[in-house]
Amino acid sequence: MINTIPLTQVSTEDATAWHAVVSASLAADLPEEPRPTFEQIHARLSVTGRDNRRLLWLATDADGAVVGVAGLRLFTSTGQLHLAELELHVTPDRRRSGVGSHLLATAVRAARDEERRSLVAAAPGEGPTGAFCAARGFRRVLAFDHLLLDVADADLAETEAEHPGYELVSWTGTVPGELAEAFASAKNAMNDMPMGDMDYGSQTWTADRVRAMAEVLADRGDLLLTTAALGKGEMAGYTEIVIRSGETHRALQYDTAVAPAHRGHGLGLWLKAEMVRRLRAEHPGIEEIETDNAQDNTHMIAVNRRLGFRFHRSTHEYQLDLLAE
């Protein structure tokens, strides 16, 4: 018998059980990937975004052992009120025993109760998760390539290139007050990124929202690094790197965007190269950067390849249309 326990407040015991399930699941599906630390899992469960809320469940067997976990992220910002995102893990020894199906049914009911029309979930490009999704009515809507960059081997020649009319600025954590409005405007350039057939909606960034995003990361103990290009009286583009709490080896690429009016000047490569130079100077322990690009985002993939990124693995996004019965 499988029991589903909703979590309204996450205790240390709950986070420990969640961490154990996720670690075992990832060890089976992505054996070469580093495991999240307990602190990272606890922070992710305890600190949610300012524009979403989470529903969490533990699945236990007849003996009370936690054998699966599920989290449902409900977007609360205008433009994405139709969307929910699922995270689901089952311990390898309990797969194909109904645990995953039980958790999925619970999450689908909750998403429908919240009047969501689309439920999305990520699955490794190889392995059983994609087949699990397809067998339950999900369709594959987007494919990502994950790329890795060896920081020591990156080609930083672009940092010496001249970009007349543009200057670089950098900050750590929350954007400086005088740049907040310009940064929000630049972030809205992300709305034209390729999203395949996913019912993703749109995001509207404001100065308050970019500050809130930085606060969430800080509350989790993560370090946010941003480098931006200023030109023609506005922020022309930016790139972001996050070093998760307790991380000593790998940084994660967050957004990189160039505003439409400033494209075609090599700003994306310039920004990313400068960020790598900054990492070398400020965080010499970080040895690699992981990024992901939609497979049809050929321009950004080309930029990353020029910098020295190499293919690492793939991820597929699946979507369940909840209005269909």
Side-chain angles (χ1 to χ4, degrees):
M1 184 177 67
I2 302 165
N3 294 314
T4 302
I5 303 171
L7 299 182
T8 54
Q9 292 184 332
V10 179
S11 67
T12 300
E13 182 180 3
D14 295 331
T16 299
W18 194 291
H19 177 253
V21 172
V22 171
S23 295
S25 175
L26 293 179
D29 295 340
L30 297 170
E32 297 182 359
E33 288 298 288
R35 306 288 165 265
T37 65
F38 167 79
E39 289 76 17
Q40 289 166 357
I41 290 288
H42 189 270
R44 184 157 55 87
L45 295 175
S46 303
V47 182
T48 59
R50 303 295 190 265
D51 56 0
N52 65 83
R53 56 190 176 87
R54 289 181 184 271
L55 303 178
L56 306 172
W57 299 273
L58 300 178
T60 62
D61 63 14
D63 297 326
V66 178
V67 293
V69 299
L72 190 66
R73 182 183 180 195
L74 299 164
F75 295 86
T76 57
S77 61
T78 302
Q80 291 189 308
L81 291 171
H82 65 283
L83 188 63
E85 183 179 55
L86 174 68
E87 176 189 6
L88 192 155
H89 294 277
V90 177
T91 56
D93 62 319
R94 291 304 306 270
R95 293 178 178 180
R96 298 183 179 275
S97 68
V99 176
S101 296
H102 188 80
L103 283 168
L104 175 60
T106 300
V108 168
R109 282 196 301 271
R112 284 192 167 125
D113 288 345
E114 294 284 343
E115 300 182 340
R116 305 297 158 138
R117 72 168 183 254
S118 298
L119 177 66
V120 295
E126 303 292 337
T129 310
F132 173 88
C133 290
R136 287 154 182 82
F138 286 78
R139 55 191 176 89
R140 200 174 86 181
V141 292
L142 188 61
F144 286 98
D145 281 348
H146 292 250
L147 309 177
L148 281 181
L149 176 69
D150 295 319
V151 172
D153 297 333
D155 181 358
L156 301 190
E158 189 65 19
T159 59
E160 304 300 326
E162 294 186 2
H163 295 271
Y166 295 99
E167 63 172 330
L168 295 176
V169 295
S170 294
W171 64 88
T172 299
T174 305
V175 60
E178 69 274 13
L179 295 176
E181 293 288 349
F183 185 41
S185 178
K187 267 192 165 290
N188 285 314
M190 290 293 292
N191 277 322
D192 65 359
M193 65 181 175
M195 293 304 297
D197 294 326
M198 184 186 296
D199 186 14
Y200 186 72
S202 62
Q203 300 188 67
T204 301
W205 290 93
T206 63
D208 287 342
R209 190 176 178 208
V210 296
R211 294 188 190 101
M213 184 200 75
E215 290 171 1
V216 169
L217 291 171
D219 289 346
R220 292 177 182 170
D222 298 342
L223 188 67
L224 173 63
L225 309 177
T226 308
T227 293
L230 304 180
K232 301 180 182 179
E234 60 184 352
M235 189 172 292
Y238 68 94
T239 190
E240 298 169 319
I241 285 285
V242 169
I243 303 173
R244 290 174 296 180
S245 175
E247 184 62 65
T248 59
H249 177 70
R250 181 183 293 184
L252 301 180
Q253 178 77 61
Y254 270 40
D255 291 350
T256 297
V258 175
H262 300 274
R263 292 171 184 171
H265 301 289
L267 298 185
L269 181 59
W270 186 36
L271 285 162
K272 291 174 75 75
E274 175 61 24
M275 178 62 81
V276 176
R277 186 207 63 75
R278 183 181 172 192
L279 271 178
R280 286 180 180 177
E282 298 178 13
H283 303 278
I286 296 298
E287 299 178 3
E288 60 187 18
I289 301 170
E290 180 180 0
T291 190
D292 61 71
N293 302 121
Q295 289 180 354
D296 54 358
N297 191 352
T298 55
H299 173 72
M300 189 54 69
I301 289 174
V303 167
N304 285 327
R305 292 287 191 184
R306 284 189 60 185
L307 196 58
F309 279 89
R310 68 185 189 280
F311 178 80
H312 178 52
R313 61 183 178 90
S314 62
T315 294
H316 296 158
E317 289 282 345
Y318 289 84
Q319 180 173 304
L320 181 66
D321 300 317
L322 297 175
L323 297 184
E325 293 292 339

